[in-house]
Structures are given as structure tokens and as C-alpha cells.
Amino acid sequence: MRKNLNLLLASAAIWLPLAAPAFAEEAPPAAAADVEAPAALMEMSLEDLLTLESTSVAKKRQRVSDSAAAVYVITQEDIRRSTANSIPELLRTVPGVEVGQQQNGGYAVSIRGFNSRLANALLVMVDGRSIYVSTLSGTFWDQLMIPMGDLERIEVVRGPGATLWGANAVNGVINIITKHSAAALGVSGDARASTRRKEASLSWGGRLDETLSYRVHGAWRRDKGPQDATGADMAKRWTGIDGGARLDWEPDAANAVTLQGEYSRGQFDTPFTFVNRDVLTPGPVRVQTESDFHAWNMLGRWTHKSSDNLDLSLQATYDHLGRSEFNGLTLEWQQTALDAGLRWKASDTHEFNIGVGGRIMHDTLTGNSVLFQLANPVNTDRWVSGYIQDDITLIPDRLRLTIGSKLESNNFTGFEYQPSARLFLRASPGLSLWGGVSRAVRTPSRFERSAVMSVTVMLPGDPQNPYPLPLYTRISAQAARQPEVLVAWEAGARAKLPGGWTLDLTGYYNAYSKLTAIRFIGAAPIFAPPVPFPLGIQADLQMQSVGKARTWGIEAVLAGHIKPWWKVEATWSHFDFKATDDLLTGAPPNLLFALEGSPRNQAGLRNALDFGDRVSLDTQVRYVSSLLGGVIPAYVSGDARLTYRPSERIELSLIGENLFQERRSEFTQQFFQAPIAYTPRTVSVQARVRF
């Protein structure tokens, strides 16, 4: 019985950052590409675009064309011209990234397999502040309500990033970077409306003096959410608000301080299927639960540049999250983190990146749920870590070796090490090659260590139930869990082609061990007096660190201009896998998140056309292959955005999404009894102003 358990509950992630070239670096306060953004970016090659900004691979500014990793940067111009109305929608354009809408406001986002609403092998950050919720091992994407106009860029690293970022940066790292407040002066507003979704945001930036700038923002959203297969609404509403402020201070050329704070809350309905525990009337019970969340975070960052060869940094963060789902099950989650970093160019040959850090997580789970319970409702976890990485120049401007390791200790799995070695070769001015091998770990979540879940009931005749009686499953945790381990091999090439076109190719092979798999441990008949015979069977299962799997794939990006006013980008990714048979059963393991839940093939084609300075057209066509053996069919999606700029300060757009079909399903957790959600076709209008 293959289980894809839909983990939902808490959210948010870490507080008070105070700094770092060793952390996400904002672009200097210049060239804010807002409403009046020029088309200059459109004239750059893919390599040049990626060269603009990349800090997530090496925790320092580095040309993406010089990175020994698979990196993709979603730029300001990409964001401005996209049809997307949320960060998960923006990520659909990145090769190797899997995005599927699920339930009301929820998204499943992953990289290179193991997708879920709370994908546990993907580290997500905002300005270097982790929003990965360790209690459930994942990210709540519906709580990300940062105004799209406040985004500087999104850096996506496909593949392990654990050597610098630590445990849980297994399959990839996504770093969402907001604009420096000095790059967004004045007032900007954004309003977008369709028959199903309405949203608005307002940002206001200014200077208090030449060294001190600020920005405040507010956002509101209301969404009818997905539909069912007939086109009926699955939920009443999703509503949320978000507000935040940022302060940037550069008292001199050597020092920079950033302070940020944000608060958000929302309410939404969740269609769900509970297990009816009354054995006299067995089966699932469809309900619509009222759910909500509230979250706030603080970030502080200080960086000090002693010289061109030495940078120091200090960062601290705090996050608080409250989330209620499953008809009253509530998680209160807090996390505090402190990190210090140093970048030291010791010589022309060696450049070191060194850091230490610690964090504390405290959570409380309250409420009554037949679905999900924790053995210890109150818990505190602690982590201490350090890393060192040496960038070794073997041949100047040609050959570079990067080696390093992250050392980490926590109170539930003990000591972990996560080394990596990467080699970069510039074979010619137009061709660069790279390769690497890494070890990364994912530490088990709280629910994997202490939860008891009753998520399914299978009636007689169900393909998964061989018995003539209803089969009730109960899944328990294993307290002494081991971390999941990945050893990854990667290689890539970046080439400049004739006519200004560029090609970026990546191949990878991943070997996983100690994956969370669900094993059968016993069964017993269920009686209900005075009935003298059993009315059901209780099947007891346990989450154990016994799964093994291999995944491999290819990712490609081809970009260039057909005409000076017509830019094209084509992407393709292929994903394949094989799970090692369970030694006890001789069958493939029942992995917590099934590999069949990821598409084997994805392809995309984007066009950006400028008709003079005032009119532009952006289109996107994507193909996503089927999931779970056809439970989610393959689909082709078409989106378009027509924009008119009557002046430099005003932008008006007509946007169509999912134009090729009336509605489509994108993702579901197999064997988790919740209805499949369908994303409908939508047409919206948008207005952006800046003054």
C-alpha cells in the first residue's frame, strides 16, 4: 500500500537576521525594474541574466556562468512580465521544479522528485531566512504573500546545497530575495482581478537621509480556490492579508545593516475526507473544515567589509507561526536562529567561506483530531552547526576546485556531516563545464518521530484491500529515527551558441538511503459489541528508515532572440527513478512521498515580444506528463499576458491562464482521502502604478 501522506498544519521559519555576504545579498540600490522597467534586460543572453545575481550557491556574489551547480535565476523582468500571481506560479518556468496546485490555496512544490504539499527535501528561504517548518518538514506556500513588485529575484539551485545551508537542503534550495529599500523609492500599487480571484498590494519606499532608506508594504487577497471535476467550487473562500517593513542603513562604505519585519494571517476552507471510526457505518466522511493561520517574523542583518579580501557577517532571525487545520488541530511553532559568517580570500589561490550557527525550535500541538496526534504535544529541538568551504583556483580564470563540509549536531539524530567537492572548467570563452559530488541529509520531522495517524479506510473491493471487511489503517512513528541520506553526482555545461543563443545543460544521478517508508507491523480484527463477529480489520503500519531509491535526469534551457524585439526561452527536464525492493516483502517500498508523484517529463516555451515601448505580449506553453500512473493526467497549459503602458508610471494588462482547457487537475497525494482539486481557466485584468 503506497502512502503519500498529505502533511498539513504549521508554518513559518526563523528570525532576526543580522547579515551576510555569507547570506542572501541584495542587489545594490540601483535600477529598480518596476512599472517603467526598460527592455534592456530583454536584450541580454541567458548567461548574462544569470550573471547579474547569484549568491545561493556559494554564499557570495558569483557569476552564474562560473557556478559549479545547476542554477536558475528568475529576474525582476521575468517577474514583471509573467502571468503568475504567486511565487509558486513563478517557479513553474524553472526546469526540474515540480509545481502542482492542491486543495484551497495549497501548492506542492519540489525539485527532482518526492513532491508533496510539504515537500521535505527542499529548503526555501526569504532573504536568507529559512521558512522550512521542521515540525512537518516543508513549506507552507499559501502564506507567502510578498507583493510581486517587491521581489528582486528568485534564485533556484537544483541539487544539494547542504554543505553551506545545512540539513534539509537535499534536492534543492530556493532563495526568494526582496528589493533593497533604496531600489524601490516612491509609491507603487498593484491590483488584479478575475471572476475567481482578487488581490491588491501597496508599497511605499523613501529615504530618511542619504544613508538610511525604508520600505513598507501591505497586501490583500481573496480567492475562490479550485473546483471539482464538475466545475463546482470546492471551498467557500481563501482570504489573507500581509504587511511588512524593511529598513536599510549604510553608514559608510564598509558596513550595512538591514532590519525587516512581517505579519500575515488568513482564513480558508479545506475540503477533506475523514475516516469514519464507527465500524457499523464504515467509509470516508466528506467534510469542509474551517482553517486559519497567523504568522510573524523578524530579520536583522549586519555585514562588514574589512577589505576586498575579507567580509564578516552576522544574522539572526525569529519566526512565529500558528496554523489550524483538520477541524481544530492547531500548531504553534517558533524558531530562533543565529548565524555568523566570514569570507576570506587568503591568497590568489584560496578563498575560504567559514560559518557557525545555532537555532532552537519550540512547538505545541493542541486540539482533538482522529486523523493526527503526537505522543508529546510540546517539544523543543536544538541544532548547532558549522561549515568551511575552500574555493581553490588551480588555473586562473580556467580551472577551480571547491571543497567543503557542513558539520551539524541536533538533539534527536546526533552528529551529521555533509561534504561536497565541485570542479569548474572554462574550456573556452564560449564553453564552461562543471561537475560535483555531494552528501546531504534530511532530518526526520516531529511527526515522523512521534505521530499516530489514521488517514484511510479501504472498503471491500478496493484494489488495496484484499479482505472482505473494511480495512482501517493506523500509521505510527518510530522514535529512534535516522536521517535520510543522499549522495548526489552532478555535471553540467553552459555554451554560447551562434546568433547570441545560449544553452545550459545539467545531468544528475542521486542515490538515497534510509528513506522514510511505511511498513506493515500487525493486524487485528475490530469488534463492536454486541455483534459477535468482526466488523473490520485494524492494520498497524509504522514509518521506518528503510527505503532506498535512485533517481536520475536531465535539465536543459535554450534561450535567445529571434528578432531584437522577440525573446524565446525553451526548457525541458526529464526525471526517472528506481526504488530498491524492500528486503522483507520483496516489493518496492511504500515511500512516504511516492516517486510516481513527480512528472517524468516537463517542457516549456516562453515568448516575450515588445511592439515598441508601449505594448508587449508574453506567452507561455508548458507540458507536464502524468502522475501516479495516470491518476493525474498529462496536460498542456497555455498562458498569455498583453500589456499596454499609457505612460512610464502606468501599466495595464489583460491576462489569461490555463487557456487550453476548462479546468485541470495538477496534483494529489495518493491514498490520502481528500478530493482531487481542479484548476480552472481564468481571465484577469491588472493595473500597476508607480509615483
Side-chain angles (χ1 to χ4, degrees):
M1 180 179 56
R2 195 148 312 198
K3 286 285 179 198
N4 277 352
L5 306 176
N6 184 10
L7 322 175
L8 356 135
L9 278 185
S11 108
I14 322 179
W15 92 275
L16 233 116
L18 294 160
F23 301 98
E25 301 179 29
E26 289 80 7
D34 296 300
V35 170
E36 67 273 31
L41 286 175
M42 297 299 298
E43 299 174 4
M44 297 182 180
S45 68
L46 172 66
E47 182 186 44
D48 291 335
L49 280 172
L50 299 185
T51 296
L52 290 177
E53 301 149 327
S54 174
T55 61
S56 298
V57 175
K59 282 194 174 181
K60 66 178 182 180
R61 286 197 173 279
Q62 185 180 59
R63 291 170 56 94
V64 169
S65 57
D66 293 341
S67 297
V71 189
Y72 188 100
V73 177
I74 302 174
T75 67
Q76 283 187 42
E77 185 76 358
D78 294 331
I79 296 167
R80 186 179 70 85
R81 301 185 67 135
S82 171
T83 61
N85 54 20
S86 67
I87 290 173
E89 293 291 335
L90 280 172
L91 295 172
R92 293 183 188 272
T93 63
V94 183
V97 176
E98 307 156 20
V99 180
Q101 190 169 9
Q102 179 193 23
Q103 298 299 327
N104 192 12
Y107 280 88
V109 180
S110 187
I111 294 177
R112 297 179 179 175
F114 300 101
N115 203 6
S116 166
R117 184 181 171 190
L118 290 172
N120 57 19
L122 174 64
L123 179 65
V124 183
M125 300 179 289
V126 176
D127 291 325
R129 173 181 61 86
S130 171
I131 59 173
Y132 182 96
V133 180
S134 55
T135 300
L136 297 174
S137 290
T139 300
F140 287 102
W141 293 96
D142 57 347
Q143 296 185 184
L144 270 176
M145 297 180 60
I146 304 168
M148 303 287 272
D150 286 356
L151 298 179
E152 172 72 24
R153 65 192 185 275
I154 301 175
E155 299 179 357
V156 181
V157 181
R158 308 185 306 278
T163 297
L164 294 179
W165 299 107
N168 308 318
V170 178
N171 283 0
V173 177
I174 296 176
N175 196 2
I176 302 158
I177 300 173
T178 61
K179 292 178 181 177
H180 190 289
S181 57
L185 303 178
V187 179
S188 61
D190 188 337
R192 180 168 172 172
S194 71
T195 56
R196 302 199 59 79
R197 176 171 172 141
K198 298 175 178 62
E199 56 195 317
S201 65
L202 185 68
S203 295
W204 177 21
R207 284 191 178 275
L208 300 177
D209 60 35
E210 289 301 313
T211 65
L212 188 61
S213 58
Y214 68 89
R215 183 178 72 246
V216 296
H217 79 260
W220 167 84
R221 190 179 96 204
R222 183 178 180 87
D223 191 349
K224 289 185 178 181
Q227 300 174 335
D228 63 18
T230 68
D233 290 342
M234 294 184 66
K236 294 179 182 177
R237 49 87 176 105
W238 193 106
T239 60
I241 60 170
D242 178 273
R246 171 171 176 153
L247 190 70
D248 290 290
W249 180 41
E250 286 105 23
D252 52 51
N255 293 282
V257 175
T258 296
L259 297 174
Q260 293 178 224
E262 186 180 23
Y263 172 81
S264 62
R265 63 179 174 85
Q267 301 84 37
F268 55 99
D269 299 321
T270 304
F272 195 73
T273 305
F274 283 100
V275 174
N276 187 353
R277 305 306 296 181
D278 184 355
V279 294
L280 297 176
T281 56
V285 178
R286 173 78 176 270
V287 297
Q288 186 160 282
T289 64
E290 293 186 359
S291 306
D292 62 78
F293 71 84
H294 63 273
W296 61 277
N297 64 75
M298 293 165 30
L299 175 153
R301 180 183 301 131
W302 168 71
T303 59
H304 175 73
K305 185 175 182 179
S306 296
S307 67
D308 290 340
N309 297 326
L310 182 63
D311 296 329
L312 306 174
S313 64
L314 182 66
Q315 172 167 299
T317 63
Y318 173 78
D319 278 84
H320 177 94
L321 159 73
R323 191 168 180 110
S324 176
E325 293 194 34
F326 299 145
N327 209 24
L329 194 63
T330 299
L331 178 69
E332 292 289 335
W333 184 86
Q334 300 175 71
Q335 183 163 272
T336 303
L338 179 65
D339 297 271
L342 175 148
R343 184 195 63 84
W344 175 37
K345 188 172 177 59
S347 66
D348 291 338
T349 302
H350 295 276
E351 182 172 358
F352 293 96
N353 207 319
I354 304 169
V356 295
R359 58 189 170 104
I360 298 176
M361 184 280 296
H362 179 79
D363 62 14
T364 303
L365 187 72
T366 59
N368 210 356
S369 174
V370 297
L371 173 72
F372 185 102
Q373 295 176 340
L374 290 178
N376 50 333
V378 179
N379 181 70
T380 300
D381 287 333
R382 300 173 182 85
W383 295 261
V384 177
S385 65
Y387 65 86
I388 182 168
Q389 181 168 281
D390 187 7
D391 216 5
I392 306 168
T393 300
L394 302 177
I395 302 176
D397 299 322
R398 290 289 304 275
L399 185 63
R400 188 178 74 250
L401 173 66
T402 303
I403 56 174
S405 183
K406 180 94 167 186
L407 304 177
E408 192 169 77
S409 179
N410 61 65
N411 60 293
F412 49 96
T413 65
F415 176 78
E416 310 294 348
Y417 64 97
Q418 301 178 87
S420 73
R422 295 179 179 271
L423 190 67
F424 174 86
L425 170 65
R426 189 176 303 282
S428 69
L431 176 65
S432 59
L433 307 171
W434 62 269
V437 59
S438 308
R439 183 183 190 271
V441 303
R442 183 190 73 83
T443 53
S445 63
R446 268 256 283 148
F447 96 91
E448 291 171 277
R449 292 180 276 139
S450 63
V452 177
M453 295 174 288
S454 301
V455 293
T456 59
V457 56
M458 301 173 193
L459 300 177
D462 189 294
Q464 301 299 317
N465 181 8
Y467 305 106
L469 297 174
L471 182 64
Y472 295 85
T473 61
R474 180 173 58 196
I475 304 173
S476 59
Q478 188 179 47
R481 288 297 307 278
Q482 296 176 299
E484 297 181 350
V485 178
L486 164 68
V487 177
W489 291 264
E490 302 174 273
R494 301 183 183 97
K496 295 181 180 179
L497 305 178
W501 288 74
T502 57
L503 178 65
D504 192 335
L505 290 173
T506 300
Y508 63 90
Y509 178 88
N510 293 338
Y512 299 88
S513 59
K514 302 179 182 178
L515 293 172
T516 300
I518 300 173
R519 269 184 168 174
F520 175 80
I521 59 175
I526 301 174
F527 291 91
V531 179
F533 50 84
L535 297 176
I537 298 174
Q538 177 74 59
D540 286 312
L541 312 171
Q542 188 178 53
M543 292 177 282
Q544 300 180 1
S545 303
V546 295
K548 293 183 178 181
R550 294 173 290 130
T551 67
W552 58 93
I554 299 173
E555 298 154 353
V557 183
L558 175 67
H561 285 80
I562 295 177
K563 296 288 185 180
W565 45 270
W566 183 359
K567 180 184 176 182
V568 175
E569 181 182 272
T571 61
W572 172 66
S573 60
H574 174 73
F575 170 80
D576 213 336
F577 61 88
K578 182 175 177 56
T580 302
D581 290 346
D582 191 312
L583 293 177
L584 289 182
T585 65
N590 298 317
L591 298 178
L592 184 61
F593 300 136
L595 288 164
E596 294 88 348
S598 296
R600 291 182 181 266
N601 289 284
Q602 297 187 90
L605 178 64
R606 287 197 296 156
N607 291 274
L609 301 95
D610 288 311
F611 305 106
D613 295 332
R614 294 185 179 273
V615 180
S616 63
L617 175 65
D618 297 271
T619 66
Q620 175 179 275
V621 178
R622 293 183 302 109
Y623 166 77
V624 179
S625 62
S626 62
L627 311 181
L628 301 170
V631 174
I632 301 297
Y635 67 85
V636 177
S637 174
D639 306 317
R641 178 189 193 99
L642 180 63
T643 299
Y644 172 63
R645 301 175 188 84
S647 71
E648 289 187 346
R649 300 184 180 276
I650 299 175
E651 181 178 281
L652 306 174
S653 298
L654 177 66
I655 304 164
E657 299 172 90
N658 192 21
L659 297 175
F660 294 165
Q661 56 266 114
E662 192 172 1
R663 67 187 63 86
R664 66 167 184 261
S665 59
E666 296 184 349
F667 189 81
T668 188
Q669 307 265 171
Q670 193 178 23
F671 303 120
F672 190 78
Q673 295 182 341
I676 295 177
Y678 288 75
T679 302
R681 177 190 297 129
T682 58
V683 176
S684 58
V685 293
Q686 183 177 32
R688 292 170 175 159
V689 297
R690 181 172 177 82
F691 51 91

